[in-house]
Amino acid sequence: MTRLSISQITTVTQSFADDLDVYRAAGADGIGIWEMKLQDDSLERFRASGLEAAAAIPAVPSILPLPLMEGPDDPSERIEAICAGIRCLARFEPACVLFLTGPGDDRPTILEGIRAIAGQGRACGVRVAVEPIQREFAEHWTTVSSLDEAAELVDEAGADAGLMYDVWHLWREPVEQIARHRDRIYGVHVADWRDPTRNTNDRVLPGDGIVDYAPILEALRWDGLFDLEIFSDAELPDSLWKDDPRELAERGIERLRTAVTASD
């Protein structure tokens, strides 16, 4: 049975409690938890909601600093923040906690960070996963932009870490990579690619862009939560972040279901 979830960045202006209510009302099976939204009663509310936890995102999401997000400049502080995020998010039993490398050429620090993050994940009983970021905007986010590159990095680190597959980031990469690394994929994010895409935060709902989902889904053979993740620059006139969150969640789940079941 196909299971669907919504990542909390999709309804960025809402509280954690409102997200739970809205996602459940929209027919979602799960929620992609962002640490930055957590409040004192979030765990209790989550457990009462009946929703599952998809991929979770720590408040500091990358080993190296991100030009477009605030956070410590010192990678060692960032690594510790990610580890603290894992300890916090593990209580929700997510499918995985994802993280990014961040941009730059400090590969030794990235490898050290992956080892530390994987070790924290193992200690907390939660899987961790590196997310490759698509090439067009890689300079803002990452050193790896494909499953092959991310797997090579994890192997070099010798770490117990998996991979995150994000349709928006990887839809133009060869689907053969999916088959090659299928057993290492711990989470799946879904969004569509606007043509033209105006900036790094300009995603659209499945079916409103140009992604061909059929070969991706066939290669994935995914039986976990398909997690809708929409970044939508609020400064753009047609930003999805300006839509009513309840309506966006309902429409998003409907579009997501259509996209991921079309090839059944």
Side-chain angles (χ1 to χ4, degrees):
M1 184 176 106
T2 302
R3 294 178 296 129
L4 312 176
S5 64
I6 302 176
S7 185
Q8 288 189 284
I9 199 67
T10 304
T11 52
V12 66
T13 60
Q14 286 199 135
S15 69
F16 188 94
D18 286 342
D19 283 343
L20 291 173
D21 292 341
V22 165
Y23 297 175
R24 186 171 51 187
D29 305 291
I31 177 172
I33 295 174
W34 283 65
E35 184 189 4
M36 68 180 187
K37 281 200 173 188
L38 294 182
Q39 298 172 315
D40 291 343
D41 62 350
S42 292
L43 182 59
E44 180 182 0
R45 287 180 178 273
F46 167 73
R47 288 175 173 167
S49 74
L51 296 176
E52 300 177 58
I57 296 87
V60 174
S62 68
I63 295 169
L64 300 180
L66 299 175
L68 302 181
M69 289 184 68
E70 296 181 356
D73 292 328
D74 184 351
S76 64
E77 293 181 29
R78 300 183 68 86
I79 293 166
E80 176 48 40
I82 295 171
C83 289
I86 292 170
R87 293 191 293 272
C88 174
L89 292 164
R91 301 173 300 158
F92 296 82
E93 300 181 17
C96 66
V97 176
L98 70 82
F99 64 97
L100 315 179
T101 67
D105 56 7
D106 191 351
R107 196 172 182 92
T109 295
I110 293 172
L111 294 171
E112 177 185 346
I114 293 174
R115 295 185 193 106
I117 292 164
Q120 185 65 74
R122 187 168 55 252
C124 291
V126 64
R127 301 194 297 184
V128 299
V130 178
E131 182 172 39
I133 303 295
Q134 56 83 34
R135 300 183 189 280
E136 186 170 339
F137 302 111
E139 63 182 321
H140 300 302
W141 305 103
T142 193
T143 63
V144 291
S145 294
S146 71
L147 292 176
D148 277 354
E149 293 169 2
E152 180 183 358
L153 190 67
V154 171
D155 290 344
E156 186 178 346
D160 182 13
L163 310 174
M164 187 77 193
Y165 187 86
D166 187 310
V167 173
W168 193 81
H169 290 303
L170 301 181
W171 69 280
R172 288 178 290 194
E173 298 296 318
V175 294
E176 292 78 13
Q177 292 190 34
I178 300 175
R180 188 153 50 241
H181 302 294
R182 186 185 298 120
D183 293 342
R184 304 174 71 171
I185 294 173
Y186 291 170
V188 173
H189 278 157
V190 183
D192 215 330
W193 184 271
R194 182 195 296 273
D195 186 24
T197 292
R198 295 164 290 186
N199 64 36
T200 189
N201 291 341
D202 190 25
R203 306 182 190 187
V204 290
L205 296 177
D208 289 343
I210 61 173
V211 172
D212 181 2
Y213 288 92
I216 294 171
L217 295 168
E218 182 178 356
L220 277 172
R221 302 177 192 172
W222 181 246
D223 61 0
L225 288 162
F226 287 95
D227 197 28
L228 180 71
E229 186 187 54
I230 299 295
F231 286 80
S232 190
D233 188 344
E235 295 185 3
L236 295 172
D238 50 357
S239 170
L240 293 175
W241 279 352
K242 294 180 180 178
D243 289 359
D244 174 76
R246 185 172 296 273
E247 192 276 333
L248 178 60
E250 292 174 353
R251 193 165 84 253
I253 285 294
E254 179 184 353
R255 297 292 183 83
L256 179 60
R257 179 173 288 109
T258 298
V260 302
T261 59
S263 60
D264 284 356

